[in-house]
Amino acid sequence: MPWDRNKMAARAALELEDGFYVNLGIGIPTLVSNYVPADYDITLQSENGMLGMGPFPTEDEIDPDLINAGKQTVTELDRTSYFSSSQSFAMVRGGHINLSILGAMEVSETGDLANWMIPGRLVKGMGGAMDLVAGVQRIVVLMDHANKAGESKLLKKCTLPLTGQAVVDRIITNLGVFDVVEGGIKVVELAPEVAMDEVRQKTEATLVG
Amino acid sequence: MGKVYQDAASALDGILFDGMSIAAGGFGLCGIPENLIQAIKDAGTKRLTVASNNAGVDDFGLGLLLQDKQVKKMISSYVGENDLFMQQYLAGQLEIEFNPQGTLAERLRAGGAGIPGFYTATGVGTEIAEGKELKEFDGKTYVLERGLKMDLAIIKAWKGDAQGNLTYRKTAMNFNPECATAGKVTIAEVEEIVPVGSLDKMAIHTPGVYVQRIFQGAHEKRIEQRTTRAA
């Protein structure tokens, strides 16, 4: 059975290592914070200018001066530090953040990522995504294997404008875990009861190994 | 020469002109110079180029300057929250230059620090890098981005003094320190003007040299996404 959103997030949480500084994208990646092992010391970065992001506030704790990169109200922790936008992206671009888990529209077999615009549709902007994929040590994409029309999102070549070129290390979909390697996409793990045939049938990218 | 002004309108006196460029602090609606934006709307200054991470919402923040079509061009990383913006953009009445968020922050920082350009890996291989100089360092490709210097910077801080020293509060800091340095003239609106000497000198985020005018204002601090957990 393919993974649902929560199982995908739980699987993505296995990418965390004790002591990591992590940036989570908007959408399913946000759910990963629900599955951080209790004995791990993980610090979440929010690129609007915060290290050590806490949970959503109670009604009484709401502070308009304290939001995350999704513009949602959040809370601080004892470890929290605040900083300006250039400082925030210095730690991103400078490779000081260990891991970023992001959503995607398309990923290519060479690790290209497209997740910021669809030509002809409303263009909202890339926010911090281009900086994150260019600078964070390891990029893991969390996305459905196919789009709503049933077409593979793991492609030989992206059709949409890129967010970054050769930036993705690993892709976790509802069908399994896949690595970008020399020559194509390597199957690392399959979701329970998902057969290789199904993966082959639903993957346009070259599968290797 | 005193830096303290009574309100946004008096602080802007003699500064605004049609076709000028403005850097505006804030992330979403957090830490935006609410009073200065309203005063620029009231002044009716036209053909503005505005560098700001976002463009506000329809009826608040920089969205107010779109209502009377005062903005010619936005330099932003994300404008998804604003329908008016989309209408004017699709009608060809408004230009947008998308900058990756970190690139925008660094352009303002660099411009304010006398650095005309810098190389970054952000955007290499994407349409952001098209038409820009590429250069290889240690086997990796980078794109040249220019520093930004603006005619005016409008920023919001938490506390400030008559010398222009500023401190920001939590994530309301965001782009404000960078914008402060990037303006030929910088005007800060603060929640409270405190006596000179009362701010912790070791915790001043923006030293007064960057700030030419300052005033105290009231702030609505509208929240875009009110997310909570059970108590």
Side-chain angles (χ1 to χ4, degrees), chain B residues 75-95:
Chain B
I75 305 173
S76 303
S77 87
Y78 190 83
V79 295
E81 267 50 273
N82 195 316
D83 293 337
L84 200 56
F85 186 101
M86 285 302 163
Q87 284 169 26
Q88 292 183 16
Y89 171 71
L90 294 171
Q93 296 164 332
L94 179 62
E95 290 173 55

Side-chain angles (χ1 to χ4, degrees), chain B residues 9-72:
Chain B
S10 60
L12 285 164
D13 187 44
I15 299 227
L16 297 174
F17 60 92
D18 290 346
M20 76 187 303
S21 59
I22 299 177
F27 177 86
L29 301 180
C30 182
I32 59 172
E34 299 178 19
N35 293 275
L36 286 160
I37 292 168
Q38 180 63 51
I40 293 170
K41 176 180 171 63
D42 295 343
T45 317
K46 300 281 191 197
R47 301 194 313 278
L48 300 172
T49 294
V50 180
S52 168
N53 191 57
N54 312 96
V57 294
D58 287 346
D59 63 342
F60 197 63
L62 288 171
L64 294 176
L65 302 186
L66 300 176
Q67 291 175 350
D68 301 320
K69 300 194 173 70
Q70 289 173 264
V71 180
K72 183 183 75 171

Side-chain angles (χ1 to χ4, degrees), chain A residues 124-146:
Chain A
K124 295 182 170 185
M126 71 292 285
M130 285 192 180
D131 306 280
L132 285 162
V133 299
V136 172
Q137 289 171 23
R138 183 170 167 80
I139 299 296
V140 173
V141 163
L142 199 48
M143 68 175 190
D144 284 327
H145 205 90

Side-chain angles (χ1 to χ4, degrees), chain A residues 47-50 55-76 82-87 89-90 93 116-117 121-132 134-135 161-165, chain B residues 27-28 30-31 54 76-81 86 89-90 98-103 105-106 109 118 120-128 140 156 169-175 177-178 191 221-231:
Chain A
E47 66 267 25
N48 55 317
M50 176 182 202
F56 291 147
T58 63
E59 198 64 40
D60 292 342
E61 290 171 337
I62 287 177
D63 182 342
D65 289 337
L66 182 42
I67 63 171
N68 65 17
K71 294 159 188 136
Q72 299 169 311
T73 46
V74 292
T75 54
E76 64 183 20
Y82 299 107
F83 34 82
S84 75
S85 296
S86 66
Q87 176 73 270
F89 283 93
R93 213 188 292 103
W116 79 281
M117 78 174 276
R121 285 224 227 139
L122 290 184
V123 182
K124 295 182 170 185
M126 71 292 285
M130 285 192 180
D131 306 280
L132 285 162
L162 296 185
T163 307
Q165 194 173 44
Chain B
F27 177 86
C30 182
N54 312 96
S76 303
S77 87
Y78 190 83
V79 295
E81 267 50 273
M86 285 302 163
Y89 171 71
L90 294 171
F98 279 119
N99 279 192
Q101 193 175 336
T103 294
E106 191 65 12
R109 194 198 72 80
F118 59 94
T120 174
T122 301
V124 170
T126 77
E127 62 184 51
I128 293 303
K140 190 171 171 185
K156 152 79 172 46
R169 189 169 175 276
K170 303 191 177 185
T171 57
M173 183 188 304
N174 55 62
F175 279 82
E178 285 80 15
E191 292 177 43
K221 297 194 185 183
R222 195 181 293 185
I223 294 173
E224 273 183 81
Q225 307 277 342
R226 181 178 287 265
T227 45
T228 56
R229 69 176 197 277

